[in-house]
Amino acid sequence: MAHLRFKALDLANNRPKVQVESKGKISDYFASEVFGLPQMETLLSPDVYKRVKKAIDEGLKFDNETADVVASAAKSWAISKGATHFTHWFQPLTGSTAEKHDTFFDAHAGIEKFKGTALVQQEPDASSFPNGGIRSTFEARGYTAWDPSSPMFIYGVTLCIPTVFVAYTGEALDNKAPLLKAVEAVDEAATKVCQLFDKKVTRVKASLGCEQEYFVVDKALYASRPDLVMAGRTVFGHNPARGQQLDDHYFGSIPPRIYDFMKDFEIECLKLGIPVSTRHNEVAPSQYEVAPIFEDINVATDHNQLLMDVMSRVAEGHRLKVLFHEKPFAGLNGSGKHNNWSLITNTGVNLFQPSNSARENLLFLTFLVTTVKAVYEHAELLRASIASAGNDHRLGANEAPPAIMSVFLGSQLTSVLDELEKKGNVKVEKGENMYMKLGIDKIPPIILDNTDRNRTSPFAFTGNKFEFRAVGSTDNPATPMTILNAIVADQLTDFYAAVEKEIKKGTDKRLAIVGILRKYIKDSKAVRFEGDGYSDDWVKEAKKRGLANIKDTPRALDAYLSDGSRKLFNRLNILNDIELEARNEISWENYIMKIQIEARVIGDLVQNHIVPTAIAYQNKLIQNAKGLKELGVKNTQVLKVIDSMSGYIDTLEKEVFDMTEERKRINKIVDTRKKAIAYCDDIKGKYFDKIRYAVDKLELIVDDEDWPLVKYREMLFLR
Ligand code: ADP
Ligand code: MG
């Protein structure tokens, strides 16, 4: 086996440079592969364009005639760019994207065709996508329906049409449908609240900017690690002598091979209209981040899914492999996908932007405080929205936000809220300290961020937006964003009703608003935390405050099915009971599968690679010991090594055997939730670390020449 490792290393260390073609000015090719409103404006008649825009803006149904015109224009445009096929592109509950390609070419007619009906609706063979029992219960089929609010794009030779995926009985079978509903709910609720301040506000849009973290390893090294291939993470591997202790990777210079890869995938992203804007190294070796400029939440979500796909595909050409897993390497930082979120009105006001004027600040404080209250009320739901087997390694692992949901506001805003709570004083002026004169005439004053940064908070206010930092790097942002927008929508609705009630009683509007905010601030105080979220003290403190700390996915998911959650989703018409239950089934099943795969990989690697290698090496030592004895040389150390190896080998044989037996028992459990919990507690909890410990010890003992798995130090310091 070891020869495979060295072959892989040889390949990895002698890669020829991949030439990345320079494309020149970004504005020359940005969105060149996109068919959205700007393209429609140039290609459709003004009349049709107006109808299309109205339908998109107001979420109206497309009449057949308009759909035909759009389809025809999209087809001609796509064909002119070399496309031959089209597909409805959707996000089933598998956690990735799906597509089924159809050709434009009609062999009977001998020409390319694309009708409005094919644009608007399709019926993919839905039986192979997870549905949590919905379709078998209702014996209904699923269909995909065009989402015109997200632009079409060409990928390869295929025109991709963003769609929702729903059962014929109406239940959502994807991630996009509930997100669209949640965004609608927050729009409606936020607009009403805004109108208390400004009647010109008729629409509020939720925005999202995703910071995507990832690791990159050489493809050959990846391929030689069955655990990476099967489970996306290394189940074994001793920490390298130099990990991230030196902190020298963060914002350090990017290794040339990675830099070429980044430039290459960024070009592809920009062509697809994904506004990627920043790239840098992350904390751990071989860890990086890419972030696009924020966009409308639905488009940003589609773009994030597409980005991940583009990255994986472009990496192929560079003989690299992108790891999106939340924790591919033990002992190093995990990866997240920070979801930067804000609400912006049709009048161009970011509702989370503090301002100079007291009146605008009351609006700002309304949204700030309502969001804090929403997080407080639904912390467990928010926790559930980021639950996954991968993210379990990250949350609460002392290097990522804990599984306790809390909000960080920064000292300035904290004192504002304290003031407001005590005195009802809402005057917030931009203080002197916000401007820093540099004393250089040519450089204007810099506005300092009015919030200090807290990297340990799962949900932090960062100047003009909230940053949901606990989201996992693999997650589809649609899920956490559905939940966040839903809970904020609900809280805003509550707020509006309370204000109305006060006003009816004759209270002055402004006083009514302040009064309710004060109450919210008091009620939700427990969820605000400014300290170190990674510390043990916080875990204790949070417990005292009554905040939940749910460490694992199977249990975190329960929050979706609580009475309160069911009512919330029903009230807002986002997910009904059947959908909620189906989704949880799928998530639990998914969790079981992930742990099952990891357990199998662990078992296989131990039995087929680790133990045979260890025994072979131990035999060499035994030969050596015997030889020494024959010669009359005293060497107790080699006997000690032989002995300790026996201990580890014995542990491995025993634990792997027991784990397999335990899995046989658990696999008989019918209830999905119980089975998921059993996998979590009785497989992952009882065996994974124990087995890993013994393997990692053996890695240190066995001759480097014989070790079958590519080591951490070999994977992580790619240049
Ligand atoms: P940092 O978090 O380090 O301050 P940035 O300010 O660059 O980084 O923001 C990170 C992400 O947040 C980017 O995707 C950016 O576009 C996005 N972002 C900035 N402002 C907003 C906003 N008002 N709403 C949503 N996302 C935003
Ligand atoms: Mg950030």
Side-chain angles (χ1 to χ4, degrees):
M1 256 315 278
H3 65 279
L4 248 184
R5 171 172 151 232
F6 289 107
K7 202 169 161 199
L9 282 169
D10 197 40
L11 275 170
N13 293 325
N14 295 297
R15 297 283 188 200
K17 188 174 161 58
V18 177
Q19 291 303 332
V20 180
E21 209 188 318
S22 167
K23 288 270 174 199
K25 238 176 42 246
I26 292 175
S27 53
D28 286 344
Y29 62 88
F30 182 70
S32 63
E33 307 303 297
V34 177
F35 189 79
L37 275 176
Q39 291 72 22
M40 291 190 207
E41 189 168 16
T42 53
L43 293 170
L44 302 174
S45 72
D47 186 43
V48 176
Y49 174 72
K50 235 167 77 191
R51 251 185 297 161
V52 170
K53 184 158 177 351
K54 189 172 152 69
I56 292 175
D57 285 348
E58 293 168 27
L60 308 173
K61 191 177 173 322
F62 276 72
D63 60 79
N64 288 347
E65 191 201 335
T66 313
D68 271 339
V69 179
V70 174
S72 167
K75 178 199 71 183
S76 305
W77 171 82
I79 289 174
S80 78
K81 297 192 68 75
T84 53
H85 287 65
F86 67 93
T87 182
H88 275 199
W89 184 77
F90 58 103
Q91 297 164 31
L93 298 169
T94 44
S96 56
T97 57
E99 40 203 81
K100 176 191 149 232
H101 297 193
D102 283 304
T103 175
F104 287 125
F105 184 64
D106 179 335
H108 288 298
I111 51 167
E112 272 82 8
K113 278 189 181 167
F114 188 43
K115 289 193 95 65
T117 45
L119 166 67
V120 173
Q121 192 167 322
Q122 288 268 296
E123 207 175 304
D125 176 14
S127 57
S128 53
F129 295 107
N131 57 67
I134 286 181
R135 252 176 285 113
S136 49
T137 316
F138 290 82
E139 296 196 38
R141 291 166 304 177
Y143 66 94
T144 51
W146 178 33
D147 164 21
S149 63
S150 185
M152 299 176 224
F153 55 91
I154 294 179
Y155 204 32
V157 292
T158 304
L159 174 69
C160 297
I161 301 153
T163 55
V164 293
F165 181 36
V166 285
Y168 258 90
T169 38
E171 288 87 6
L173 297 173
D174 71 349
N175 288 306
K176 189 193 264 270
L179 175 67
L180 290 175
K181 289 182 185 175
V183 166
E184 235 173 80
V186 88
D187 175 10
E188 194 181 319
T191 301
K192 261 180 149 177
V193 170
C194 283
Q195 289 197 346
L196 290 169
F197 297 83
D198 179 0
K199 293 282 180 217
K200 286 201 288 294
V201 175
T202 54
R203 193 134 198 210
V204 174
K205 280 199 172 180
S207 298
L208 170 66
C210 289
E211 297 165 63
Q212 177 72 53
E213 293 178 333
Y214 59 97
F215 279 84
V216 181
V217 295
D218 183 273
K219 199 180 165 215
L221 304 185
Y222 167 84
S224 75
R225 294 270 325 203
D227 47 358
L228 275 183
V229 175
M230 307 302 287
R233 73 177 183 100
T234 55
V235 293
F236 309 132
H238 204 279
N239 252 290
R242 185 183 131 204
Q244 60 191 56
Q245 308 91 330
L246 294 177
D247 261 343
D248 56 351
H249 187 66
Y250 194 57
F251 283 136
S253 72
I254 300 167
R257 245 186 106 185
I258 304 294
Y259 187 57
D260 287 340
F261 162 60
M262 286 177 170
K263 280 191 293 192
D264 209 2
F265 84 67
E266 284 175 7
I267 290 171
E268 290 312 308
C269 285
L270 290 162
K271 286 202 274 186
L272 288 163
I274 306 173
V276 285
S277 65
T278 63
R279 51 165 103 108
H280 62 79
N281 287 355
E282 261 303 325
V283 178
S286 282
Q287 192 186 26
Y288 307 92
E289 178 186 300
V290 54
I293 289 169
F294 69 94
E295 299 177 280
D296 171 76
I297 227 167
N298 176 37
V299 176
T301 299
D302 284 358
H303 278 168
N304 176 260
Q305 295 300 287
L306 192 53
L307 169 96
M308 291 168 77
D309 203 72
V310 171
M311 287 172 70
S312 302
R313 290 196 197 196
V314 173
E316 278 290 316
H318 292 253
R319 301 290 178 263
L320 293 169
K321 190 74 198 177
V322 182
L323 307 177
F324 287 114
H325 194 283
E326 282 79 6
K327 191 78 176 175
F329 303 101
L332 297 179
N333 267 18
S335 299
K337 172 154 29 209
H338 300 178
N339 280 205
N340 294 272
W341 169 85
S342 70
L343 296 171
I344 300 174
T345 67
N346 60 311
T347 53
V349 176
N350 174 358
L351 295 165
F352 293 111
Q353 177 74 58
S355 114
N356 278 323
S357 105
R359 196 179 72 109
E360 279 170 22
N361 266 330
L362 186 56
L363 178 65
F364 160 72
L365 286 172
T366 296
F367 278 86
L368 183 88
V369 170
T370 321
T371 303
V372 174
K373 176 82 160 34
V375 174
Y376 171 72
E377 294 293 339
H378 300 285
E380 294 186 26
L381 205 48
L382 213 50
R383 164 69 183 92
S385 78
I386 48 157
S388 70
N391 217 12
D392 279 0
H393 291 283
R394 208 178 140 246
L395 301 180
N398 290 324
E399 43 91 349
I404 307 159
M405 292 296 122
S406 67
V407 184
F408 170 86
L409 293 179
S411 57
Q412 202 176 352
L413 276 177
T414 298
S415 58
V416 169
L417 292 206
D418 288 347
E419 191 85 343
L420 179 56
E421 181 190 342
K422 279 186 218 106
K423 302 192 196 133
N425 179 2
V426 293
K427 233 171 89 198
V428 191
E429 304 284 3
K430 282 202 172 181
E432 267 300 304
N433 60 340
M434 293 197 46
Y435 294 93
M436 185 175 73
K437 285 246 189 210
L438 288 178
I440 306 167
D441 278 354
K442 295 226 169 58
I443 298 175
I446 295 170
I447 299 179
L448 283 186
D449 208 322
N450 67 340
T451 55
D452 18 340
R453 286 299 172 113
N454 181 328
R455 297 196 158 269
T456 66
S457 173
F459 196 87
F461 185 74
T462 48
N464 62 355
K465 62 191 192 282
F466 275 100
E467 187 169 336
F468 191 7
R469 306 178 63 255
V471 182
S473 46
T474 323
D475 284 350
N476 183 328
T479 311
M481 284 300 108
T482 299
I483 301 307
L484 179 59
N485 287 289
I487 64 178
V488 171
D490 201 54
Q491 197 61 58
L492 286 168
T493 308
D494 199 75
F495 173 83
Y496 184 82
V499 172
E500 281 279 271
K501 204 168 141 200
E502 279 301 309
I503 293 175
K504 279 214 183 96
K505 276 197 233 156
T507 316
D508 168 71
K509 184 166 80 183
R510 197 169 163 281
L511 288 181
I513 291 171
V514 171
I516 290 149
L517 290 183
R518 291 176 77 180
K519 182 175 176 322
Y520 279 11
I521 293 171
K522 274 195 202 105
D523 291 351
S524 60
K525 219 168 178 174
V527 86
R528 276 160 51 198
F529 180 61
E530 301 286 306
D532 179 1
Y534 298 177
S535 69
D536 292 336
D537 286 351
W538 170 229
V539 175
K540 282 180 215 138
E541 163 75 17
K543 194 167 177 191
K544 259 195 246 153
R545 294 189 188 186
L547 302 180
N549 182 8
I550 310 166
K551 294 225 172 76
D552 59 74
T553 293
R555 291 174 178 90
L557 290 169
D558 286 342
Y560 279 118
L561 301 181
S562 74
D563 252 10
S565 300
R566 286 173 192 264
K567 283 192 188 127
L568 170 92
F569 290 119
N570 274 299
R571 212 162 38 235
L572 296 172
N573 194 22
I574 291 175
L575 290 164
N576 63 28
D577 279 356
I578 295 168
E579 290 168 314
L580 282 170
E581 281 162 24
R583 267 155 211 268
N584 262 30
E585 276 299 298
I586 292 167
S587 301
W588 278 316
E589 269 167 23
N590 215 328
Y591 181 87
I592 294 166
M593 263 164 358
K594 290 258 160 71
I595 306 298
Q596 221 166 31
I597 290 170
E598 292 188 1
R600 282 198 200 120
V601 169
I602 289 173
D604 289 354
L605 281 176
V606 164
Q607 247 143 15
N608 304 330
H609 300 239
I610 308 298
V611 167
T613 306
I615 290 177
Y617 181 67
Q618 195 190 31
N619 279 337
K620 285 191 202 166
L621 294 184
I622 291 169
Q623 286 310 317
N624 173 266
K626 278 184 184 160
L628 291 173
K629 198 176 170 197
E630 252 170 52
L631 296 173
V633 179
K634 216 176 138 194
N635 188 334
T636 48
Q637 197 52 39
V638 73
L639 295 179
K640 269 193 202 154
V641 176
I642 291 169
D643 192 47
S644 81
M645 285 188 82
S646 282
Y648 295 132
I649 292 167
D650 193 48
T651 300
L652 288 180
E653 306 261 33
K654 177 177 178 319
E655 300 299 332
V656 166
F657 177 83
D658 289 354
M659 181 167 79
T660 311
E661 289 304 303
E662 187 68 351
R663 273 178 45 217
K664 284 185 198 156
R665 175 187 72 82
I666 294 170
N667 286 343
K668 293 200 193 94
I669 301 175
V670 180
D671 182 277
T672 330
R673 176 179 176 275
K674 284 192 184 133
K675 192 165 163 183
I677 289 177
Y679 260 100
C680 175
D681 295 353
D682 302 336
I683 299 295
K684 181 180 173 238
K686 286 206 185 115
Y687 294 100
F688 283 13
D689 285 350
K690 227 190 262 177
I691 294 174
R692 178 174 195 135
Y693 181 80
V695 173
D696 290 356
K697 282 289 176 198
L698 286 171
E699 182 186 324
L700 288 183
I701 297 172
V702 171
D703 185 352
D704 185 58
E705 290 285 321
D706 297 338
W707 194 253
L709 298 174
V710 172
K711 296 186 174 181
Y712 271 26
R713 65 173 150 79
E714 294 163 334
M715 263 185 293
L716 288 168
F717 295 94
L718 180 123
R719 287 287 125 178

